[in-house]
Amino acid sequence: DTHISTTPFGRRPMTLGMISSQVAAKAMPADLTVHKWHVFQNIKEARGALGATDRALAILDALLSFHPETALYGDSELIVWPSNEQLIGRANGMPPSTLRRHLAVLVECGLIIRRDSPNGKRYARKGQGGEIEQAYGFDISPIVARAAEFKELAEVVRAEKKAYRVVRERLTICRRDIVKMIDAGIEEGVPANWGRVQQTYQAIVGQIPRTAPRQALEAIAAELEELWAEVREALESFVKTENMSANESHT
DNA sequence: AGTGAACCTACAATGGGCAT
DNA sequence: ATGCCCATTGTAGGTTCACT
């Protein structure tokens, strides 16, 4: 490694996400107050969008638990300094290397900021009265600074999940309806090319992948609904003509 | 100089996803 | 069902820095 690494921890890369979280933390209004577990809940829901993994969030959970207050204020010093051993203790005994990797993930996501001491150890220096003069560890102020952003992200994720569920329901109902209508049509001797209808139905249904993005399902659902309308039309017009002929025979 | 805490890299094992 | 690819995880060995 011929790189100029004259500074300590030179191997730790600085990413743009980290910069932005640092900027956000600095620009945070002093009177902002959030409840850390509410924010954490939103972060959990927006996990994918944030690029955090479930295990990384287990670490964040542990980190937050080291801050004594439930309510976090924008103007207070929001730094926690648990040793890796302590973190491991609160994170289901995960191995040290895994812990470090996930801490790195949290930093890259901009959920926490490293406040490194000169030797990389995490500790707080206390003054005469026991008050904290300086703390080295992890700054959790992004939790406060970005709380609104996390809430919005969580809402977007919830909306997407709902939309996905809705389109799956649409598909299921449509499939069931079409099968029923085809059965009825054949049973009642409705004139139509039922073989072709069944073929079209199979072709559309066969396109449905096991796992698909919502947009793909939307497209298939639209196709299926078109077929649904076509079949429905055949049955309806048959019913109408039957009624008409019934009326004629009455007169 | 020795110790402790934190970090890194390299390599093996594990397990999920995917095409065959 | 099978084998391959890839990401994640776990382990081992080594480095850096501060403190004593």
Side-chain angles (χ1 to χ4, degrees), chain A residues 158-175:
Chain A
R158 274 195 287 272
E160 176 61 29
K161 269 188 185 164
K162 187 180 173 187
Y164 194 83
R165 208 180 57 233
V166 165
V167 72
R168 285 229 88 104
E169 283 175 0
R170 251 173 79 198
L171 266 178
T172 304
I173 291 170
C174 204
R175 289 175 68 169

Side-chain angles (χ1 to χ4, degrees), chain A residues 68-206:
Chain A
E69 309 293 328
T70 303
L72 302 181
Y73 305 96
D75 60 346
S76 54
E77 273 293 283
L78 296 172
I79 293 177
V80 291
W81 56 93
S83 69
N84 281 351
E85 199 177 340
Q86 284 177 299
L87 276 174
I88 286 165
R90 292 199 195 177
N92 314 318
M94 116 179 10
S97 59
T98 308
L99 173 73
R100 291 187 190 102
R101 273 194 277 256
H102 289 296
L103 282 170
V105 169
L106 290 175
V107 171
E108 276 163 35
C109 295
L111 291 167
I112 57 175
I113 303 166
R114 285 189 194 276
R115 300 290 183 210
D116 283 330
S117 72
N119 69 352
K121 285 163 76 168
R122 300 194 274 267
Y123 59 88
R125 206 175 17 242
K126 291 177 184 168
Q128 298 288 339
E131 84 284 355
I132 293 150
E133 257 175 15
Q134 177 127 40
Y136 296 110
F138 295 106
D139 187 345
I140 57 172
S141 61
I143 302 302
V144 182
R146 299 177 65 193
E149 182 193 339
F150 298 146
K151 187 177 181 186
E152 275 172 39
L153 270 177
E155 273 159 14
V156 168
V157 169
R158 274 195 287 272
E160 176 61 29
K161 269 188 185 164
K162 187 180 173 187
Y164 194 83
R165 208 180 57 233
V166 165
V167 72
R168 285 229 88 104
E169 283 175 0
R170 251 173 79 198
L171 266 178
T172 304
I173 291 170
C174 204
R175 289 175 68 169
R176 195 189 53 201
D177 261 20
I178 291 174
V179 170
K180 275 187 191 169
M181 287 194 293
I182 291 174
D183 281 353
I186 293 171
E187 191 86 9
E188 305 287 336
V190 176
N193 188 346
W194 293 114
R196 187 195 61 82
V197 171
Q198 276 173 328
Q199 227 168 3
T200 310
Y201 172 76
Q202 287 301 338
I204 297 172
V205 168

Side-chain angles (χ1 to χ4, degrees), chain A residues 1-16:
Chain A
D1 195 62
T2 56
H3 215 74
I4 0 146
S5 58
T6 51
T7 55
F9 318 113
R11 295 186 177 207
R12 252 180 231 158
M14 175 77 71
T15 67
L16 288 181

Side-chain angles (χ1 to χ4, degrees), chain A residues 188 190-191 232-246:
Chain A
E188 305 287 336
V190 176
R232 175 85 189 173
E233 171 61 27
L235 293 190
E236 272 182 11
S237 65
F238 176 72
V239 170
K240 274 181 201 157
T241 55
E242 245 195 353
N243 283 349
M244 274 166 67
S245 57

